[in-house]
Amino acid sequence: MKARKLSGSFPPARMAVLLLAGAVSCGWAGFAYGQSKSSPEWTTSSYNPQRDAWQRHETKITAQNAGKVQLLWKLKTDNKTMGMQSFREPLIASGIKTTQGAKTVAIFAGSSNDVFVIDAETGKMVWQKKLKWASSQPEEAGEGRGFICTNALSATPVITPAGAKERVLYVITTDGYLHLMDPATGDEKDAPVQMLPNVYGKPYGLNLVNGIVYTITGQGCGGVPNALYAYNTVTKKVTMSSPPQGGLWGTAGPAIGSDGTIYFESGDHPYDAKAGLLSTSVQAYTFSNDTLKLKDYYTPTNYEWLTKRDLDLNTTPVIFSYKGRDLLVGGGKEGRFFMLDSRSIGGADHETPLFRSELIANANVNFQTEGTWGSFAAWKDKKGTQWVLAPNGGPTTVKFPINYGDTPNGGILAFKIEDKDGKTVMTNAWQSADMLTAEPPVVANGLVFVLAGGEYTGQTNEVEGGLYSAEDRIERSKPAKLYVLDAETGKELYNSGDQIASFLHQAGLSVAGGRIMFGTFDGTVYCFGIK
C-alpha cells in the first residue's frame, strides 16, 4: 500500500527538468491564494485543491442583475475532437504578461493536445499551440476504442496562482508527459516530464499543492495502472501509488485537504483490503519524501452489490471546513451520498461514515444515466450555513422541500450541513428544475452557475445490442444550455435559451471577473456575462 517511485524506470533525459528548487512551488494554495476582488482567477479544476467550485471573489454578477446575463463573445477554434472529448474545463488567469500587454486570459486544453489561450475581454486568440509527442512509443492514428478510451487529452490543466514566484501552466498530454509552459507565450520552460508509465492513459484534473502536481487515472486505458500519481517539481521525481485500483474517474481529479491529505474515489475492481485492493471506496493518501502512503479509507457496507450492479463511486469528493475539521462529501451512481470526517473517514471498521443519506435518486438501478457523476460544489452563506450541491441524473426518489416539478432528466440537488440530535447530517434543501445532463455546478456571489450539457449518456443499445459508439451518442446529444440559479432556493434567474449550438462532455464551466466561460463539442468557446 506504499508508493512506487517511477523516476528510476524513466530515461534520465526525460526526467531532467531544470527548475530552480521551489521556483514553481505555490505553497499551500488555500482557498484563493493570491487572488483579490479586482483580479479573480480560476486556476485549477473546480476552483481550488479542495474542489469546492466556490468562486469567492465574484462581484459583477449579482442576484439583482443575473437576469441580464448575455453572450459577450464566442470563438470558433480548430480543435480536433477525439471520441466525445473536446475541451476540458477552462482556467482563467489574470495579469498574464503577453506581448500585447498584461491580460486576463482563458486557457482551454483541447482533446488533441492543443492549448488555446484567449483574451477574456475580447475573445481574441492570444496564442495556440499543439504540444509535440514526447514518448518514444509511436503515436496511434484515430480515436482509440469506443467512447471510453479515446486517446484524448482528458485532464484539466493547472496553473500556479497569482502571487506565485513564477506563473507555470501544467498540461498532461495523451503520451503521458507533463508539459511546463509559460502562459504568456506558450513556450515550454523545460523538457516535458514523463508522469504516466505508458501512453494513452486517462488522467483527470491536475491538482497542485506545495509544489507537487497530482493526478489520478481511470479505466486502465493504454495499460496505464489506475493509481494516484505525484510529480515533485523540486526533486523532479514521479511517484505512483500501489497497488493499482479500480477506475479512478472523478473528473476533477484528486481533492486535497487543508492538511495536505489526498482523497479520491475508486470504482469496480476485485476487493481485498489486506492486499490494499480497495474498490468502490474512498481512499486517503499522504505524500512525504516522494512517497505516497495510504492513510485511511472508507468502504460502503454494500460495496459487493454496488460492484455487481456497476454503481461505482465515480466522483471527485468535495472538502470543506466544518467546526474545526475537514469534512468530505462523496457519492456516485447509486444515488446516495455520504459525508466523512477527515479524522477517521470510515471509523474503526472503515465502513462507518459520519453520515449516509437515504436513497436520493436512481431507484431504477441505472448504471448509465442516473445518479451523480463528476464533482460537487460547497459554499457557506452569509449566515454561516454550509451548503453542498451535486449534479444528478434522472428523477429523485424523495421530494425536496423546494422543488420546481418533475425532473426526468435530473438537475442540481442542494443540501445543508446541520447538527441534529448530536449528529452532523446532510439535510435536503432544494432541487432545481429539470436539466439534461447537468454538469458540476459552480457557486459565486450567492448564485449557482450550471450547464445542462445536453450529452446523451446512454451506453448500451438495448434495441440493436452492444454498446453505443461515440458517433451514436454524439448524434443523440442536444445543445447545451446555461442556467443561473439562486444558491439558497434553486430558483431560475437566467437561462441561455438556444444560443449554444452544441453539447459538451465533461467540459464544465469557470467563473471569474463577471465572465462565465466554457467550450462545446463543436470547438466553440463561449463567454457569457454582464456588460
Side-chain angles (χ1 to χ4, degrees), residues 173-189:
T173 45
T174 58
D175 55 6
Y177 278 70
L178 185 69
H179 295 255
L180 294 75
M181 305 179 71
D182 183 341
T185 63
D187 294 338
E188 299 208 39
K189 289 178 174 288

Side-chain angles (χ1 to χ4, degrees), residues 420-502:
K420 292 184 177 181
D421 300 323
K423 296 182 179 180
T424 304
V425 301
M426 297 174 64
T427 302
N428 300 350
W430 58 258
Q431 178 180 9
S432 75
D434 190 47
M435 297 181 185
L436 180 60
T437 316
E439 290 289 315
V442 166
V443 179
N445 205 17
L447 303 171
V448 175
F449 301 84
V450 60
L451 284 163
E455 176 191 354
Y456 181 81
T457 57
Q459 297 180 28
T460 57
N461 188 330
E462 297 181 2
V463 176
E464 300 176 4
L467 294 175
Y468 285 116
S469 66
E471 291 77 12
D472 293 331
R473 290 178 59 175
I474 292 166
E475 183 180 348
R476 288 166 170 78
S477 295
K478 306 294 182 183
K481 185 179 290 188
L482 170 66
Y483 291 87
V484 182
L485 313 177
D486 184 293
E488 295 189 39
T489 65
K491 179 182 177 182
E492 181 182 314
L493 303 177
Y494 170 83
N495 79 69
S496 61
D498 60 1
Q499 296 182 80
I500 303 168
S502 184

Side-chain angles (χ1 to χ4, degrees), residues 296-354:
D296 202 355
Y297 65 93
Y298 161 67
T299 303
T301 54
N302 62 339
Y303 75 90
E304 291 182 334
W305 181 81
L306 294 175
T307 298
K308 288 178 181 178
R309 300 306 298 264
D310 194 15
L311 299 176
D312 309 69
L313 300 187
N314 62 345
T315 61
T316 296
V318 62
I319 304 170
F320 52 91
S321 177
Y322 187 81
K323 297 189 175 180
R325 83 269 200 198
D326 280 354
L327 298 186
L328 296 80
V329 168
K333 299 181 192 177
E334 184 188 12
R336 194 187 303 272
F337 300 94
F338 47 80
M339 183 163 52
L340 310 177
D341 189 327
S342 62
R343 296 175 297 189
S344 179
I345 64 174
D349 61 359
H350 298 288
E351 294 184 342
T352 306
L354 181 64

Side-chain angles (χ1 to χ4, degrees), residues 95-105 117 119 124-128 182-187:
I96 301 301
K97 297 177 181 178
T98 73
T99 56
Q100 297 88 35
K103 294 182 179 293
T104 295
V105 298
V117 173
D119 186 325
K124 293 182 178 179
M125 192 74 70
V126 176
W127 59 263
Q128 72 177 82
D182 183 341
T185 63
D187 294 338

Side-chain angles (χ1 to χ4, degrees), residues 73 75 77 79 86-92 105-111 113-118 125 127-129 153 157 169 171 507-510 516-520 524-527:
W73 54 260
L75 176 67
T77 72
N79 183 60
S86 182
F87 292 117
R88 308 311 300 171
E89 172 188 335
L91 307 181
I92 304 173
V105 298
I107 303 169
F108 286 81
S111 46
N113 295 332
D114 294 288
V115 179
F116 304 87
V117 173
I118 302 166
M125 192 74 70
W127 59 263
Q128 72 177 82
K129 182 174 185 177
L153 185 152
L169 172 64
V171 182
L509 59 81
S510 303
I516 310 153
M517 297 190 187
F518 56 91
T520 52
T524 303
V525 170
Y526 289 86
C527 178

Side-chain angles (χ1 to χ4, degrees), residues 136-260:
S136 60
Q137 298 183 56
E139 188 172 5
E140 294 180 7
E143 300 181 355
R145 56 181 175 86
F147 57 80
I148 296 176
C149 296
T150 59
N151 294 356
L153 185 152
S154 55
T156 299
V158 65
I159 185 172
T160 53
K165 185 175 181 180
E166 185 179 14
R167 300 305 299 260
V168 181
L169 172 64
Y170 295 91
V171 182
I172 188 167
T173 45
T174 58
D175 55 6
Y177 278 70
L178 185 69
H179 295 255
L180 294 75
M181 305 179 71
D182 183 341
T185 63
D187 294 338
E188 299 208 39
K189 289 178 174 288
D190 285 289
V193 179
Q194 187 178 357
M195 191 166 184
L196 302 183
N198 209 343
V199 300
Y200 297 124
K202 199 171 185 180
Y204 290 105
L206 302 183
N207 209 334
L208 173 63
V209 170
N210 290 334
I212 314 298
V213 180
Y214 298 95
T215 190
I216 53 175
T217 54
Q219 298 171 304
C221 295
V224 173
N226 298 326
L228 170 66
Y229 294 83
Y231 169 64
N232 188 327
T233 63
V234 177
T235 67
K236 323 300 186 290
K237 292 182 178 180
V238 175
T239 307
M240 182 187 89
S241 65
S242 184
Q245 303 291 333
L248 315 179
W249 44 59
T251 55
I256 302 179
S258 60
D259 63 352

